[in-house]
Amino acid sequence: MTVRFGEFTLDPGARRLIRQDGEEIHLSPKAFDLLQLLIESRPRVLDKAALHARIWPHTFVVDANLTVLVAELRRALADNAREPRFIRTVHALGYAFCGNAVAAGDAPVGAAGGARCWLMWNERAIVLAEGESIVGRDPACAVWVDAPGVSRRHARIEVAHGGDTVRLEDLGSTNGTFVDGAPVRGVVEVADGNVLRVGGVDLIVRIWSRGKASETKRIARAPG
């Protein structure tokens, strides 16, 4: 099953890891297997013996092999061992996936077509996964906005109830966060079509809802 987490989509069937901008992230076969195992077992900790048995069946390997794979994943995901977003080290035991991950069904990877919530930045669609996403200039942020005036960790967006509720909070940014021109104080709820301003960047909120979908309108044709 395809899974979305942060700014990434993992497609086990096609063995692809895609970033939200459409770029495919290369992983070695064993590193891909490790990431898939950790996500499937989340949030349970997998001990090193279990990981060795699954990744290298019937083969003796030293712990350093597993350490190399974990380092490869962290580089690919821009993750940090000290402040992990995705892969948590449980010392003397093993590893666990600690990020928010949601099943994406058969939706195409690298596109907003199968998502309930996303942000539009110019022509770019940034999918918002269920749970918490940080907006900021730090490449490790789920919503990476690399632009002047945007703080490294600028704002927090939370998607809840399957996408029916989307909340926004400023994280003490230098230049503030605004919704349709109004400054954000505390936690505010945002709706489809709202314009979020972070630094000097405008992000348009798009929330798809079956209940709001309307019938296709018939276009009147001029008599010919």
Side-chain angles (χ1 to χ4, degrees):
M1 178 180 293
T2 302
V3 176
R4 285 197 178 97
F5 60 96
E7 64 271 35
F8 301 98
T9 299
L10 183 76
D11 185 347
R15 291 188 68 82
R16 300 176 71 199
L17 176 66
I18 306 292
R19 199 160 53 201
Q20 65 188 10
D21 60 8
E23 180 182 352
E24 184 165 354
I25 308 301
H26 174 74
L27 290 176
S28 67
K30 295 298 185 184
F32 191 98
D33 291 342
L34 174 59
L35 179 59
Q36 183 177 347
L37 279 172
L38 292 173
I39 289 177
E40 289 176 349
S41 303
R42 67 186 188 280
R44 184 165 56 91
V45 177
L46 294 180
D47 62 48
K48 294 178 182 179
L51 290 170
H52 285 171
R54 295 287 298 276
I55 298 173
W56 295 279
H58 313 298
T59 303
F60 174 78
V61 295
V62 297
D63 283 352
N65 293 58
L66 184 57
T67 302
V68 168
L69 291 186
V70 171
E72 179 183 345
L73 287 183
R74 284 181 170 142
R75 284 194 302 271
L77 302 175
D79 204 10
N80 187 321
R82 293 184 178 181
E83 297 181 4
R85 290 195 301 148
F86 303 122
I87 301 173
R88 179 170 65 92
T89 300
V90 182
H91 294 289
L93 183 58
Y95 301 92
F97 188 85
C98 59
N100 292 316
V102 294
D106 295 325
V109 298
R116 290 288 307 278
C117 306
W118 63 97
L119 299 173
M120 294 300 302
W121 179 18
N122 296 327
E123 298 300 317
R124 175 186 171 196
I126 305 173
V127 174
L128 296 175
E130 181 88 7
E132 178 183 289
S133 297
I134 302 298
V135 181
R137 194 165 40 85
D138 189 331
C141 292
V143 181
W144 180 29
V145 181
D146 188 17
V150 178
S151 297
R152 292 184 64 81
R153 290 172 58 87
H154 197 107
R156 177 187 292 110
I157 297 178
E158 181 188 10
V159 176
H161 308 118
D164 290 333
T165 303
V166 182
R167 301 184 182 93
L168 174 70
E169 179 184 11
D170 183 75
L171 295 178
S173 63
T174 300
N175 294 305
T177 303
F178 301 81
V179 177
D180 293 341
V184 171
R185 310 294 187 197
V187 179
V188 300
E189 193 165 322
V190 297
D192 181 56
N194 282 158
V195 177
L196 313 184
R197 172 158 284 234
V198 294
V201 174
D202 287 340
L203 305 169
I204 302 174
V205 179
R206 300 314 311 265
I207 304 173
W208 184 86
S209 171
R210 292 183 186 275
K212 295 178 182 177
S214 59
E215 295 182 359
T216 303
K217 294 182 179 179
R218 185 177 297 276
I219 300 174
R221 299 182 181 275

